Amino acid sequence: MLLVYICLGVYLVAMCFVLFYSLTQAHLLLGYFRGLNNKPVEVNPVRDDELPNVTLQLPIFNEQYVVERLLAAAARLNYPAGKLEIQVLDDSTDGTSEMIADEIKKYPGTLFFHLRRSNREGFKAGALKAGLKSATGEFVAVFDADFVPDPDFIRKTLPYFQDPRVGMVQTRWTHLNQDFSLLTRLQAFALDTHFSVEQIGRNVLGAFINFNGTGGIWRKSCILDAGNWESDTLTEDLDLSYRAQQRGWKFVYRGDIASPAELPPVMSAIKSQQFRWTKGGAECAAKHLGRVWEAPLPWRVRLHATAHLLNSVVFVAVFLVALSSIPLWWAFHREMLSSRIFEGAAVFLLGFVVIAAVYFVGNVGVQKDSKQSSLRFIWELPLFLSVSMGLCIHNGLAVWEGLSGRKSPFIRTPKYNLKERKLNWKDNFYHSRSVPLGTYFELLMAGVFSAIVGASLYVQAYEMLLFHSMLAVGFWIVGLTSVFGSRWSSTGR
């Protein structure tokens, strides 16, 4: 019986954290709606004779499938050639370097600098920092290899730096391949909410926002004032964002400026990206949370910074809730626990309602085809939540490593560019074909929760049926796509 009460305590504590996070999301939603009512920020275009020097940094590591597309997009930027330098920060160890050297010869009127390092010290952060030493631009834009910059990106973002307090302008990611498969649809579902409700909400409320690692432009002096790029976390973008804003710099988010990018089409690539994001977020929490609470910041900023830095801990909470729910389900069925406890726990449904509202606004409220988007939302929300639950083992481990200080190398997310190259994702030689040990645990959990769902139906114990069903579906999808890759492709590839 003691074990049952311990599990109940773990369950309640974890659910309280999820509820706290969902309530901060509700506040961001209010901020988002307030932003819709605010008058647009008026900025005057920068005159051509007053345009400053700009450096575009393109960090590259083994990107044979997308590097030509990236360089072509960089060469199309609508900016005076004499005031734009493009740094190709190339740490590649394969044939990508030769491709870059050949490709930049096609654009003799564009000021390309092909910079190579003797080692990958500091990974992406190290490459950006090394390039900054020779950067001549007053402003520094950054685009990852899977992005296709808008030709007018620089001209659209520079006017917001007329305020000398502005240190960075972040733009909205859009998706080149969101309809490729179920997995890309669900990623777009999550990112669209982040780049609408979360970023706009934080910006309107005066909370800290983050540079998303790409699709943004910095004032060079802001980077240097904040201490330059550091590689002690896997999310150097979030780290520098918090250091800069704690120094008093203002960040601007512009959701009306689009930066198209490719979404990972297969689970192995998604997991490598998710691991880096969640572990890096936890590392930044360990690094900055204490500083945020020690700094003379408004309570609103502190609370949102706490939720922001600890958002990856939600995966740990879901994992604990999932595990503890098994003995609790058994205890309720055997009448070892009062049904009043379960009735009282219904308060946590508020968190689900809030999350549903946030994602509804983030995916339907911003769409023109509201009817079609609403119908799609009906099946996307439960599938998204299920897959997110299914990632709790993989991402929970990443969070644990981040909070405990365990270091790991920066693992890049492989790029595929399937639409342009007309390739099968299996033909990509960057694609990981190994099956991690954690995948077998995910499949085991899928079987366990499937059995519990069957037992619940048999004994007519429906209290946790929906939750356990979503866990079963999520673990099956994550586990099976980790083994077999993406099987739900709308293109037949």
Side-chain angles (χ1 to χ4, degrees):
M1 193 63 186
L2 176 61
L3 179 61
V4 171
Y5 282 114
I6 291 175
C7 291
L8 179 61
V10 170
Y11 182 92
L12 293 176
V13 169
M15 287 301 295
C16 283
F17 177 82
V18 174
L19 181 60
F20 159 73
Y21 177 74
S22 67
L23 291 177
T24 62
Q25 292 291 97
H27 193 222
L28 291 182
L29 185 59
L30 293 176
Y32 170 81
F33 285 127
R34 185 190 303 175
L36 295 180
N37 296 325
N38 291 346
K39 293 182 178 180
V41 177
E42 295 185 4
V43 292
N44 298 318
V46 181
R47 292 169 40 186
D48 283 3
D49 60 341
E50 296 178 347
L51 289 173
N53 290 338
V54 174
T55 298
L56 173 63
Q57 291 188 319
L58 307 175
I60 303 290
F61 177 68
N62 296 351
E63 302 289 6
Q64 294 191 35
Y65 294 99
V66 294
V67 70
E68 293 176 350
R69 182 182 67 186
L70 174 68
L71 297 178
R76 289 195 298 268
L77 286 171
N78 178 21
Y79 206 75
K83 294 187 175 182
L84 174 65
E85 66 171 3
I86 303 174
Q87 292 184 338
V88 185
L89 308 175
D90 179 22
D91 285 352
S92 300
T93 57
D94 64 357
T96 302
S97 298
E98 288 72 20
M99 292 179 65
I100 293 173
D102 291 338
E103 192 67 17
I104 61 179
K105 293 176 183 177
K106 300 177 182 178
Y107 309 103
T110 304
L111 195 58
F112 276 106
F113 290 95
H114 187 186
L115 306 179
R116 302 207 62 195
R117 299 191 295 164
S118 58
N119 59 66
R120 290 189 68 209
E121 182 179 356
F123 305 103
K124 180 182 175 181
L128 294 171
K129 185 175 182 179
L132 202 63
K133 292 179 181 179
S134 58
T136 60
E138 180 183 350
F139 299 94
V140 181
V142 180
F143 277 94
D144 284 346
D146 51 337
F147 275 70
V148 183
D150 179 345
D152 292 319
F153 171 84
I154 299 175
R155 289 182 179 269
K156 289 178 178 178
T157 53
L158 278 182
Y160 297 96
F161 288 103
Q162 294 176 36
D163 182 346
R165 300 172 299 168
V166 172
M168 192 277 300
V169 177
Q170 175 66 51
T171 63
R172 176 174 57 93
W173 294 5
T174 55
H175 320 295
L176 296 169
N177 62 333
Q178 71 179 43
D179 293 322
F180 177 81
S181 70
L182 171 66
L183 297 181
T184 55
R185 277 291 331 156
L186 295 182
Q187 290 173 82
F189 186 84
L191 289 170
D192 287 348
T193 298
H194 169 69
F195 282 101
S196 55
V197 175
E198 291 185 341
Q199 288 288 58
I200 293 175
R202 290 189 183 111
N203 220 192
V204 170
L205 294 173
F208 288 173
I209 71 169
N210 61 295
F211 169 56
N212 291 103
T214 175
I217 182 168
W218 288 80
R219 193 187 298 271
K220 183 180 178 181
S221 58
C222 172
I223 298 176
L224 297 176
D225 179 67
N228 215 324
W229 296 102
E230 295 180 358
S231 58
D232 55 344
T233 74
L234 292 180
T235 46
E236 71 292 323
D237 44 10
L238 180 61
D239 172 42
L240 182 59
S241 297
Y242 266 73
R243 284 189 279 121
Q245 287 169 108
Q246 289 177 81
R247 293 280 297 171
W249 289 96
K250 180 181 177 182
F251 282 13
V252 172
Y253 173 69
R254 296 308 309 176
D256 56 326
I257 305 175
S259 292
E262 173 187 313
L263 295 165
V266 293
M267 183 56 73
S268 60
I270 295 171
K271 279 186 169 180
S272 67
Q273 186 181 72
Q274 286 284 311
F275 190 90
R276 190 173 68 248
W277 287 354
T278 51
K279 180 174 181 178
E283 289 174 329
C284 284
K287 181 175 181 178
H288 291 287
L289 201 52
R291 301 177 186 179
V292 166
W293 281 94
E294 291 171 358
L297 296 169
W299 276 91
R300 178 171 57 188
V301 175
R302 291 178 180 178
L303 285 174
H304 278 291
T306 301
H308 190 188
L309 290 169
L310 294 178
N311 61 4
S312 58
V313 178
V314 169
F315 290 104
V316 177
V318 170
F319 178 67
L320 293 176
V321 168
L323 283 184
S324 59
S325 72
I326 298 174
L328 292 181
W329 169 83
W330 179 81
F332 279 121
H333 174 60
R334 298 296 298 269
E335 298 183 349
M336 298 171 64
L337 290 174
S338 170
S339 60
R340 292 183 179 179
I341 296 177
F342 185 82
E343 293 170 0
V347 68
F348 296 123
L349 289 175
L350 174 62
F352 173 78
V353 172
V354 168
I355 295 300
V358 168
Y359 279 97
F360 180 83
V361 172
N363 285 271
V364 178
V366 299
Q367 300 294 331
K368 295 180 180 178
D369 56 333
S370 57
K371 182 178 181 180
Q372 182 180 352
S373 300
S374 298
L375 292 174
R376 192 169 59 226
F377 179 82
I378 294 173
W379 64 264
E380 280 187 334
L381 177 65
L383 265 181
F384 166 73
L385 294 176
S386 296
V387 172
S388 298
M389 292 176 184
L391 283 166
C392 69
I393 296 173
H394 177 270
N395 288 356
L397 176 62
V399 173
W400 176 257
E401 288 190 5
L403 293 178
S404 64
R406 182 178 177 182
K407 297 300 179 182
S408 59
F410 185 103
I411 305 298
R412 62 180 280 280
T413 304
K415 317 300 189 302
Y416 292 79
N417 195 10
L418 297 177
K419 284 192 173 182
E420 287 189 16
R421 292 185 170 268
K422 308 298 182 184
L423 296 173
N424 189 302
W425 56 267
K426 293 181 180 179
D427 297 329
N428 187 311
F429 47 76
Y430 299 134
H431 175 71
S432 174
R433 290 165 177 79
S434 62
V435 179
L437 183 61
T439 297
Y440 298 105
F441 190 40
E442 289 163 353
L443 292 172
L444 173 63
M445 295 296 284
V448 168
F449 283 108
S450 295
I452 292 176
V453 168
S456 298
L457 292 172
Y458 180 76
V459 300
Q460 298 182 346
Y462 304 126
E463 292 84 359
M464 293 186 174
L465 181 62
L466 177 60
F467 178 58
H468 288 157
S469 297
M470 294 177 69
L471 283 168
V473 170
F475 281 124
W476 278 125
I477 291 177
V478 172
L480 292 176
T481 54
S482 296
V483 175
F484 299 110
S486 177
R487 293 297 189 187
W488 296 285
S489 170
S490 60
T491 64
R493 289 187 170 273

